[in-house]
Amino acid sequence: MESNLANKEKKIWLSSPHLGQNEQTYVQEALDSNWVAPLGSNITDFEQGLQNYIKENKYVVALNSGTAAIHLALIMAGVGVGDEVLCQSFTFSASANPIVYLGAKPVFVDSEKDTWNMCPMLLEEAIKERILKGVKPKAIIAVHLYGMPYKAQQISIIGKKYNIPIVEDSAEALGSKVDEKYCGTFGLYGVFSFNGNKIITTSGGGTLIVNSEKEKEKAIYLATQAKDQAPHFQHSQIGYNYRMSNVLAGIGKGQLEVLEDRVKTRRRIFDRYFEELKNLDFKFLEEPKGFKSNRWLTTIQTPSFQTREKIRKALEIKNIESRPLWKPMHLQPVFKNCKAYISGVSENLFEKGLCLPSSSNLTEKDLGRIIEVLKKF
C-alpha cells in the first residue's frame, strides 16, 4: 500500500536540467537563420561567454560531449598506441574510455580522503614505478569529482616535475575554484561536460579548454573530420565528427546566463542537507581551505554498505532518486587487467557513499520530503 501511494508522489530526480528564460529564444534564432549545423553565432557566443567566465587567457572549443573533449585532449597531448596514461580510478568511465580509444593503457590511481580525488602521493609513486619499468606515462587525467576540486597545486607540481601533461577532467566542476582560480584552467587541457544532469546543460555537449588560438584551430580541425584546405575533400590525418551544433549552443548560451545562480542554489541545497543531517550518523565532504565546490551533487557517507542500501531503497519507495558513489575504475570488469595503485579509499567510498538529489530546481517541499525520509531512517 505504501509503495502504491508513494508512486503517486512527484518523482524527485538526482540532477535534472533547469532551463532559464532565454534558451528558447537563442535556439529559435538558430532555426530562423537556418544555421543549425556546427557553425553560427550561438557557437561563437557560447565559446566566448565561457572564455570570459573562466578567464586565465584560455580558449574554448565547443564539442558534442565531454568524452570527445578528453579524447581530443589526449590526441593533442601525443598519446598513442601502447602508451600509458595515469587516470583517477574514482570517476565515471568516460574519464578512462578515451585512453582505450587510442590503443593506450589506463593505469589507475586511488583517491585521498580530503577531496576524494587523485592522491598526489600515490600519483608520484605510480610515476616513479612506471619510469623504473621503462614506461614513462604520457599523460595524467585528474578529475574534480562531484564538483570538489582535486589538489590542483600539488598535482600540477608533480606533472611539471616529471614533464607529464595533465588533462583536467572538470566535467562535474564548472564554477568550482581553488584559491579563486576556476577549475578547468589548471591543466594543459581542461574539459567541461554539458550533459543533461550537469550544473548547466546543452542537452548533450562538452568543451575542450586550450591555451592558444593555434591549439583551438587544431582542435576544431580534428573535431570536423580533419579536412585539409583544398577545393575537394582531402585528409592527411584521422578526424572526428565532434563539433557542437549551433542549436545546442543556443541552449548553452542561455544556460551560461544563469550559471552563477545555479552554483549558489546547489551550494544552498548542500547547506540545507548539512544543517538538517549533521547530527545524524552521516559524513559530508567538506571543503578544504581555499577550495570552493559548485556542489554539483551533495554526497554522504553512511556507516556501512547495508545502511547505504537501506537508505537508497527507502528513498526509492518514496519515488526519490539517489545513487551510490562512482564504482572505481579498477573494480570495473572492462578494466580488470589494468595496473592500479590502490589505497582502499575509493573502494570504501563506493561501499558506503550515496548521492542525494541536488537539482537546482528542487522546491522546499521536495527537500522536505527527502530530509524527512533520511531523518525517519
Side-chain angles (χ1 to χ4, degrees):
M1 175 67 76
E2 183 181 13
S3 178
N4 289 336
L5 288 172
N7 288 334
K8 292 180 181 178
E9 294 186 271
K10 184 185 79 171
K11 176 78 172 184
I12 297 179
W13 298 99
L14 188 69
S15 183
S16 64
H18 185 187
L19 297 180
Q21 298 296 316
N22 293 324
E23 290 87 348
Q24 188 169 349
T25 299
Y26 299 138
V27 169
Q28 191 61 50
E29 287 174 1
L31 297 175
D32 291 343
S33 66
N34 204 37
W35 284 103
V36 296
L39 286 170
S41 62
N42 283 338
I43 287 279
T44 304
D45 292 346
F46 179 56
E47 289 178 339
Q48 187 62 54
L50 189 53
Q51 285 173 200
N52 294 342
Y53 180 80
I54 61 175
K55 303 181 177 67
E56 306 298 331
N57 295 315
K58 297 289 184 175
Y59 293 80
V60 172
V61 183
L63 303 169
N64 60 17
S65 70
T67 311
I70 295 173
H71 189 192
L72 292 186
L74 292 175
I75 292 171
M76 293 174 69
V79 175
V81 176
D83 289 332
E84 289 189 351
V85 175
L86 296 164
C87 181
Q88 185 164 313
S89 183
F90 195 39
T91 185
F92 180 52
S93 63
S95 301
N97 287 340
I99 301 169
V100 182
Y101 298 167
L102 293 167
K105 301 174 184 176
V107 176
F108 295 112
V109 179
D110 214 333
S111 298
E112 39 77 16
K113 294 180 180 179
D114 295 337
T115 72
W116 300 358
N117 294 311
M118 182 179 277
C119 175
M121 292 177 63
L122 272 181
L123 172 63
E124 188 160 22
E125 177 187 321
I127 292 170
K128 288 178 178 178
E129 184 173 307
R130 304 323 295 161
I131 291 173
L132 279 174
K133 291 184 179 295
V135 186
K136 181 182 176 182
K138 204 65 179 272
I140 297 165
I141 299 176
V143 187
H144 303 292
L145 207 65
Y146 300 116
M148 181 62 72
Y150 64 73
K151 293 186 174 179
Q153 293 177 348
Q154 293 178 42
I155 288 178
S156 293
I157 288 169
I158 293 168
K160 289 175 183 176
K161 180 178 178 180
Y162 295 95
N163 194 29
I164 302 174
I166 295 170
V167 176
E168 184 186 355
D169 184 348
S170 302
E172 303 170 4
L174 180 59
S176 299
K177 300 178 184 179
V178 180
D179 295 329
E180 294 304 312
K181 183 176 179 178
Y182 279 110
C183 292
T185 65
F186 291 98
L188 179 62
Y189 301 109
V191 171
F192 291 120
S193 170
F194 300 97
N195 193 29
N197 63 354
K198 295 303 186 291
I199 196 159
I200 63 170
T201 185
T202 56
S203 82
T207 52
L208 175 65
I209 313 302
V210 298
N211 292 293
S212 68
E213 187 69 43
K214 185 176 180 180
E215 283 187 309
K216 178 171 179 174
E217 291 172 1
K218 175 69 172 178
I220 291 173
Y221 168 75
L222 291 171
T224 51
Q225 300 292 16
K227 293 177 284 191
D228 296 340
Q229 287 191 353
H232 52 274
F233 287 112
Q234 178 167 302
H235 310 271
S236 301
Q237 65 183 101
I238 296 297
Y240 306 88
N241 186 17
Y242 279 173
R243 203 72 161 109
M244 182 184 287
S245 82
N246 196 48
V247 175
L248 297 191
I251 301 174
K253 183 178 170 181
Q255 288 275 277
L256 277 178
E257 296 174 355
V258 297
L259 172 56
E260 276 302 296
D261 178 70
R262 301 297 185 256
V263 173
K264 289 177 183 176
T265 301
R266 299 236 181 188
R267 288 178 60 82
R268 188 165 62 246
I269 288 167
F270 172 87
D271 290 342
R272 174 77 184 280
Y273 279 128
F274 183 80
E275 287 303 315
E276 294 277 1
L277 304 173
K278 64 183 178 182
N279 294 324
L280 303 181
D281 202 7
F282 301 135
K283 292 181 182 178
F284 289 83
L285 179 59
E286 298 187 50
E287 294 165 321
K289 185 178 180 181
F291 284 49
K292 180 182 178 181
S293 171
N294 66 9
R295 297 297 185 187
W296 171 57
L297 291 182
T298 294
T299 57
I300 55 171
Q301 282 181 276
T302 67
S304 67
F305 169 79
Q306 290 79 9
T307 305
R308 185 202 79 187
E309 281 301 280
K310 287 177 181 177
I311 294 170
R312 186 182 65 80
K313 290 173 182 176
L315 290 166
E316 187 176 52
I317 287 171
K318 294 294 186 179
N319 214 15
I320 300 168
E321 183 183 25
S322 63
R323 188 171 296 164
L325 301 186
W326 298 121
K327 183 175 184 178
M329 292 300 99
H330 70 271
L331 297 181
Q332 298 286 353
V334 69
F335 295 123
K336 64 182 179 181
N337 296 321
C338 293
K339 178 68 178 175
Y341 292 81
I342 302 306
S343 62
V345 170
S346 63
E347 292 182 24
N348 183 63
L349 289 167
F350 168 60
E351 184 176 280
K352 300 178 181 178
L354 191 69
C355 301
L356 300 178
S358 304
S359 305
S360 53
N361 53 10
L362 281 177
T363 65
E364 284 298 312
K365 184 179 178 182
D366 293 335
L367 274 170
R369 273 178 60 195
I370 300 161
I371 291 166
E372 182 182 9
V373 174
L374 295 167
K375 283 185 170 181
K376 278 186 176 179
F377 182 84

